[in-house]
Structure formats: structure tokens, C-alpha cells
Amino acid sequence: MSLLLLKRSLAKRLPNARGYTTANHTSTSTPNEKWKYVPQSGTYPKGFNVGGIHCGVKKDGKSLDLALVTSELPCSAAAVFTKNVFKAAPVLASREMLNARKGSGVRGLVANSGCANAVTGKGGMEDAIAMGRAVDTLVGEREASTVVMSTGVIGQRLPIQKILDGIPNAYKTMGTSHEAWLSTAKAICTTDTFPKLCSKSFKFPGSSTEYSIAGMAKGAGMIHPDMATLLGFMATDAPVSPDALQSILRHAVERSFNAISVDGDMSTNDTVALLANGAAGGETIRIGTEGEKALRAVVTGFAEELSKLVVRDGEGATKFVTVSVKDANSFEDAKQVASTIARSPLVKTALYGRDANWGRILCATGYSGVEGVVPEKTNVSFVPTDGSPELKLLVNGEPENVDEERASEILAMEDLEILVSLGTGKGGESAYYTCDFSHE
């Protein structure tokens, strides 16, 4: 049965499990149920100025559609881009700029929403370069120093003059306040129902220096590795060498933005960038040091929280599901199994239907392609997020006498965990974040 037929079948049999839907968004009007994910305050890194305005890419005359971030100090920069063959012009322009600068001396980021500038030929590339150049001029850089992002409709040229006219206006309105950061996060939204913004302060062991990291992301549909969100941006005031920053970001993305799936589609524009300007002071963090390990842990945890917001806003989603695989031969094996379960349409529709059909989970585990999966050592459980005991479904390959009423209670929760243990004794583990498939 095709995915479309599965969805239509569910639509006939089941009501929407919650009081809102996410499939037909035309703006970033936030449903009441989603306000809990929108921060009311934040702790933001020193030396960064941000802002979001309406410049006219979006045709409603009011929705924010141009985001700008600049640093008062030159930054180390790292980025991970889509592996889609049809890479959008801003992806190519940003990658070229970062390679030319070897990840150093970057001064900011500009992003528009409403038009992806993807599959737009030579003219689209010229537009992406022009966006970056406009920011470079404002910050006093002669060479390309700006990361460029675009998101929206594929196959259409940007209204580039509106963007070029808007960039100086956005520059004038920039600030460091929570409201400025929130406006910037709103300006990269398309079908999102809420802006995705996180921030936190942190210290390294044995150090009294306080650092901050902030980030934003957008995405609700076309979400699947590699990358796994349309746009993501993080900034920190910690001092980091370019090679250490790239290593940190790749590690973090593999466990966050590349560990989420909504609909299985990989975008042409997916980009996650990380800037570090060192404005908070301290010794430069270099690759292979304890400082790198400490910052890697901070950035990975932060990226996980940011990427989870993308899943929570998934088009047609009513549940946030963590697929945890433990005791695999390696992290890579655990992630492969978790990814296969998270992407299974049969698993996702069963979750929406509150159907405790653990056979679909076991089936996906079996065809994951991971060697060493032994049926007699495999365990499957539903883990509720309210702190109550897990519901064991399969223990060492033997089915349990499942309490269907209890299973239905767990599957009715907005958040839940699927736990699979492979029993190899090697301890490899990974988590993957996904959602259900509703009739939307």
C-alpha cells in the first residue's frame, strides 16, 4: 500500500488526535498548543547583532521574510550542507565562501524566506552572491564573508532587488535583545507554526568564564537527512579555531539534525551553520584538546534540543517520538536501526492510530541492513514520558502478554519513546527523533 493510500485510509477511520493541524500553514500564526515551545526570554552570545524584517519576498505585505546576523568580530565558521544533487544557489555560494576563507574571518549571515532560489541557474547564483555582497559592504569587508541561506518555493527566481533594498533596512534595525533574536527566527519561517529559537549560557570545567550559545531553525516539511532541517543557525561567543569548530559541528549534526525525520524528503537547501566570534574571551579552543571535547558536548546537546523543535512542528504530526536503540555493536549500527524504524510509514501510521503493533517495529529492525541483529536477544518496549514504568512488548525474542489498554494510554501521549535493545553486549546506542503520520 502506498503512503498516500495509508494516509487516506487513516483519514476515514480516525479523527485528528489533537485540536490543531499543521499541514496547511500559510503564516507563522502559532497555535495555542505550540506557545510552550516559544521562549519568552534568552541568554545571547556577546558581539552578535540580529534582526528580521519584511522586505517583500512574501506577498502578504507583513510576514517577516529577511533575517540578518552580523558579528562585531570576525568569526570562525563551520557549516554542513544538503547532500541533494540539486543544491540551491545559496548552498553553493556559502560553501564556496567558507572554502575560500578556510572557515575564518566570517562576519555574518543573511537569509530570506518565501523563495528557495533553488534550480534557478546562473541567475540564481548571481542573486545569492549579491545577497552576501550587500552584507559584506555594510560590515566593511571587501571579500565574501557572509553565509547565505534561502528557503521557500523551488524553481523561482528571487525578487532580488527587494532583498537588496531590504538588507540595509534590516541592518538599521538590528539589536541584541530577545525580541531581536525572536524576530530573526520568525523571518526564516515558511510553513512553520512557531519560531524555533533556543539559547543558553555555559562554563567549561575549571573555568569561571561564562559563554553563551544561541540558535534558530526552520522546518516543518521536507525533513530528512542529510541534512534534516531546511535551515539551522547557531552562534557562540566562545573562541574556537575553524578546524575544531567544523569537527564539533559535524559531530553535533550527526546526532541532531541528521537524526530527525518527518516525511523522508531531503531538501535542496538544507544548511546548518555555526559561528564563533570569541567575544567572551578566554583561550582559543583547538582541535584535539579537552576544550574541544567540552564544547562538543555543549553544542551537541544544544543542537539536539533545536532539532527536536523541527520534529514537533512536523507537517501532519500529532506526536513527538524518540526511537532509542541500545546495546548495538556500534553507534553507527544503533543509528541505522533507529533511522529505519523512524522512517517506516507502517510504524508512523500505527503510532497515529494508537495501535500497539510492535511487529512493525521488529520488522523495520530486521530489514535495517545491520548485521548482528539476533532475534533471541532483541527487546522492544514503549516508554512513557510521564515517569511511569515502561511497557515491555518483546523480551529476548519472546512476546509479552501486552496490556492493550495500557499500550493505548501510552500511545495517546503527545511524547513517547520506542526502546529497542539488541543485546549484543557492545553498548552501542543512538537516538532518532520522529513523529507520526496523521491524515494531514
Side-chain angles (χ1 to χ4, degrees), residues 67-98:
L68 186 59
V69 178
T70 64
S71 174
E72 296 168 4
L73 300 172
C75 300
S76 294
V80 180
F81 300 103
T82 182
K83 293 184 180 178
N84 194 306
V85 173
F86 292 96
K87 293 176 176 61
V91 169
L92 298 174
S94 295
R95 187 173 63 180
E96 183 177 313
M97 181 276 295
L98 289 172

Side-chain angles (χ1 to χ4, degrees), residues 57-282:
V57 181
K58 293 178 181 175
K59 298 178 181 179
D60 65 1
K62 60 181 181 180
S63 295
L64 304 183
D65 54 14
L66 182 63
L68 186 59
V69 178
T70 64
S71 174
E72 296 168 4
L73 300 172
C75 300
S76 294
V80 180
F81 300 103
T82 182
K83 293 184 180 178
N84 194 306
V85 173
F86 292 96
K87 293 176 176 61
V91 169
L92 298 174
S94 295
R95 187 173 63 180
E96 183 177 313
M97 181 276 295
L98 289 172
N99 286 340
R101 282 193 168 271
K102 297 181 179 179
S104 64
V106 174
R107 293 297 303 277
L109 175 147
V110 61
N112 75 273
S113 58
C115 179
N117 192 13
V119 198
T120 46
K122 181 180 178 181
M125 191 67 180
E126 292 172 350
D127 291 344
I129 292 171
M131 287 175 63
R133 187 181 298 121
V135 179
D136 297 333
T137 299
L138 290 171
V139 298
E141 291 287 339
R142 293 184 177 181
E143 302 295 330
S145 68
T146 302
V147 176
V148 180
M149 297 181 180
S150 296
T151 181
V153 179
I154 294 173
Q156 296 182 5
R157 288 286 299 275
L158 290 169
I160 188 61
Q161 196 56 51
K162 291 181 178 180
I163 294 175
L164 296 181
D165 291 343
I167 287 173
N169 294 331
Y171 188 74
K172 293 175 185 176
T173 66
M174 297 174 78
T176 60
S177 67
H178 171 69
E179 289 72 23
W181 280 88
L182 190 59
S183 293
T184 309
K186 289 178 179 178
I188 63 174
C189 291
T190 53
T191 59
D192 309 65
T193 64
F194 66 92
K196 299 158 185 67
L197 174 67
C198 296
S199 66
K200 66 175 292 184
S201 58
F202 61 94
K203 294 180 180 180
F204 295 125
S207 172
S208 60
T209 304
E210 183 173 84
Y211 298 103
S212 295
I213 184 170
M216 60 192 71
K218 67 85 49 191
M222 205 176 287
I223 305 299
H224 184 67
D226 289 309
M227 289 294 299
T229 185
L230 296 183
L231 299 181
F233 165 71
M234 295 177 284
T236 180
D237 50 17
V240 194
S241 68
D243 56 347
L245 197 68
Q246 186 67 44
S247 175
I248 287 167
L249 182 62
R250 286 196 178 280
H251 182 276
V253 164
E254 192 63 22
R255 290 155 178 80
S256 56
F257 291 100
N258 273 352
I260 64 174
S261 183
V262 170
D263 50 25
D265 281 341
M266 184 198 306
S267 169
T268 56
N269 291 58
D270 297 339
T271 302
V272 172
L274 172 60
L275 303 185
N277 66 5

Side-chain angles (χ1 to χ4, degrees), residues 358 392-402:
W358 53 264
K392 296 182 179 180
L393 308 171
L394 185 76
V395 177
N396 293 327
E398 295 289 338
E400 293 289 283
N401 185 15
V402 177

